[in-house]
Amino acid sequence: MRIQDAVPQKGSRRRRRRIGRGISAGQGASGGFGMRGQKSRSGRGTRPGFEGGQMPLYRRVPKLKHFTVINKQQYTTINVRQLASLPANTEVTLESLMQAGIVTTNDGPLKLLGDGEIGVPLQVKAAKFTTGARSKIEAAGGSCLSLDSEEASATAES
């Protein structure tokens, strides 16, 4: 067997269509592209996403307003520096912060942010902690308890 003998079987490959070579070729005259117009011309038709000159969707969308996040979670946020005035070993929750006057409105679960410094150990119970806030509270000798994990364990026990 030689390299020139390695050819496809007869009839397994079809010859290519010869477009626009007369009516006897089967694709004469307009060559299957219809009459006039953009899609009948040689070369590529239009690029993907082209809408005939109208501003395409992928360029319209970012300009439109009011694309809101569905079911956005709202948090009551405070920084670590606001907890520095509390006495040592205090249990910090959203309710205790409202009673102390540090937080005035309940905008949702409590989230602690890491801006500022803290020097007193506190037992903080909140829904979320930033990594900076968690490290600063634990460095001061306090503890951080995430309420989401506590609620999940309570539902798992029952």
Side-chain angles (χ1 to χ4, degrees):
M1 182 163 187
R2 289 183 291 279
I3 192 74
Q4 59 265 29
D5 295 336
V7 292
Q9 287 188 330
K10 184 111 174 110
S12 67
R13 285 178 52 118
R14 297 184 56 147
R15 67 183 184 88
R16 68 180 186 87
R17 292 188 335 173
R18 296 186 69 223
I19 303 294
R21 293 296 181 268
I23 58 169
S24 62
Q27 291 290 331
S30 55
F33 286 97
M35 297 291 278
R36 291 176 291 274
Q38 188 174 22
K39 294 183 199 169
S40 71
R41 310 296 187 205
S42 65
R44 190 173 175 200
T46 58
R47 68 178 185 276
F50 183 69
E51 297 183 23
Q54 171 179 300
M55 186 62 69
L57 181 68
Y58 68 89
R59 289 189 60 195
R60 282 197 310 262
V61 169
K63 295 181 187 176
L64 298 178
K65 305 295 188 282
H66 313 297
F67 278 87
T68 56
V69 177
I70 307 299
N71 298 327
K72 183 182 177 189
Q73 180 64 55
Q74 291 281 346
Y75 288 101
T76 303
T77 58
I78 62 164
N79 281 299
V80 170
R81 70 166 174 266
Q82 294 171 277
L83 302 178
S85 62
L86 294 173
N89 297 318
T90 307
E91 185 175 296
V92 179
T93 61
L94 181 59
E95 292 77 27
S96 67
L97 290 173
M98 289 183 80
Q99 288 172 355
I102 296 173
V103 175
T104 55
T105 58
N106 183 353
D107 295 329
L110 182 63
K111 181 174 182 177
L112 252 75
L113 308 178
D115 188 30
E117 296 298 323
I118 186 169
V120 291
L122 300 170
Q123 280 67 47
V124 184
K125 293 183 179 179
K128 291 208 179 268
F129 298 89
T130 61
T131 53
R134 185 181 292 272
S135 62
K136 287 177 183 180
I137 292 168
E138 289 172 351
S143 65
C144 298
L145 181 67
S146 181
L147 292 178
D148 291 342
S149 62
E150 184 181 273
E151 291 168 3
S153 63
T155 55
E157 291 172 2
S158 59

